[in-house]
Amino acid sequence: VQLQASGGGLVQPGGSLRLSCAASGSLFRLSAIGWYRQAPGEQRELVATLGNTGTADYKDFVRGRFTISRDDAKNTAYLQMNSLKPEDTAVYYCNLGHMIGVYYYPGNYWGQGTQVTVSS
């Protein structure tokens, strides 16, 4: 499985970006999806998850601003990011994993990351 993340860029505070994560192979539709981010000098942190049954969950710091979605026909996951803040600046990664209850367990498949910079 290969994951290709794209859609990052430079955006002003309050702006929007839509990240995409295209997957190869047949595991995508069987997998849950996790979007993570890593800011310079920080640990990678989970941002949002989406199970293969459609249940989404968000960390509090993005809840109400970000929306995770998937298109299994296209083997692609998305992260719509609105009302962006400077503290959202990070490299964003997608991951294929699985859900056990409400918990997301990352798998070994990671995209290469896409840089999101929120700055005026």
Side-chain angles (χ1 to χ4, degrees), residues 43-114:
Q43 290 190 336
R44 191 172 297 188
E45 61 181 358
L46 183 62
V47 173
T49 61
L50 181 60
N52 60 353
T53 58
T55 301
D57 193 25
Y58 303 89
K59 292 301 183 182
D60 287 345
F61 50 81
V62 303
R63 194 184 308 273
R65 301 188 297 122
F66 290 13
T67 303
I68 188 172
S69 62
R70 64 191 296 160
D71 185 339
D72 287 348
K74 296 182 178 179
N75 267 22
T76 302
Y78 305 97
L79 186 67
Q80 177 67 43
M81 306 187 296
N82 299 329
S83 303
L84 283 161
K85 304 175 181 180
E87 50 263 45
D88 294 319
T89 295
V91 178
Y92 283 72
Y93 299 88
C94 56
N95 175 265
L96 295 188
H98 62 278
M99 302 294 298
I100 299 179
V102 298
Y103 297 102
Y104 180 80
Y105 290 84
N108 294 323
Y109 306 107
W110 293 90
Q112 85 288 359
T114 185

